[in-house]
Amino acid sequence: VQLQASGGGLVQPGGSLRLSCVASGRTFGNFAVGWFRQGPGKEREFVAVITGTGFSTTYSDSARGRFTISRDNAKNTVYLQMNSLNPEDTGVYFCAADARARTSAVYEFWGQGTQVTVSS
């Protein structure tokens, strides 16, 4: 599976962004897709994951209530809608795919990342 993340950018605190992760290469609906982020000087951390069917989602404590993960298997795309962004959300956001929905960064396939910067 090849993954391409996009949608990052510079946003003011309190603003919103929607990230997209487009997949190609295999039957997309067979894979769970997770979003991870890595802030400056920080380790990569889990943000959210959605199962292949889209019926189940899991969020980190920091993302729950502000971020929404969704998918459109007809478009081979997973989205991460991020609202109420704050500077602590700054980092490179990666999407990843695996046969199992995981909260640890042991996914088989990874995209290249998209930069999100939250600053006034």
Side-chain angles (χ1 to χ4, degrees):
V1 176
Q2 291 79 48
L3 302 172
Q4 180 78 32
S6 63
L10 174 64
V11 63
Q12 292 187 342
S16 298
L17 281 175
R18 188 177 79 159
L19 306 183
S20 299
C21 177
V22 179
S24 62
R26 298 194 188 182
T27 304
F28 184 57
N30 290 342
F31 292 89
V33 175
W35 285 97
F36 291 78
R37 68 186 182 190
Q38 188 162 13
K42 298 180 180 179
E43 294 185 354
R44 191 169 298 189
E45 64 174 350
F46 167 75
V47 177
V49 61
I50 188 167
T51 57
T53 61
F55 290 159
S56 180
T57 58
T58 303
Y59 297 90
S60 67
D61 288 343
S62 64
R64 191 176 299 112
R66 299 187 300 128
F67 296 1
T68 302
I69 189 170
S70 61
R71 68 190 296 159
D72 183 342
N73 284 347
K75 296 182 178 179
N76 282 5
T77 303
V78 169
Y79 305 98
L80 184 68
Q81 176 67 43
M82 304 187 296
N83 299 327
S84 302
L85 286 162
N86 59 63
E88 290 69 40
D89 295 315
T90 294
V92 179
Y93 283 68
F94 300 87
C95 60
D98 197 88
R100 295 182 60 185
R102 307 172 187 271
T103 58
S104 58
V106 290
Y107 282 61
E108 183 173 3
F109 305 102
W110 288 85
Q112 86 292 354
T114 185
Q115 176 70 45
V116 172
T117 303
V118 184
S119 176
S120 56

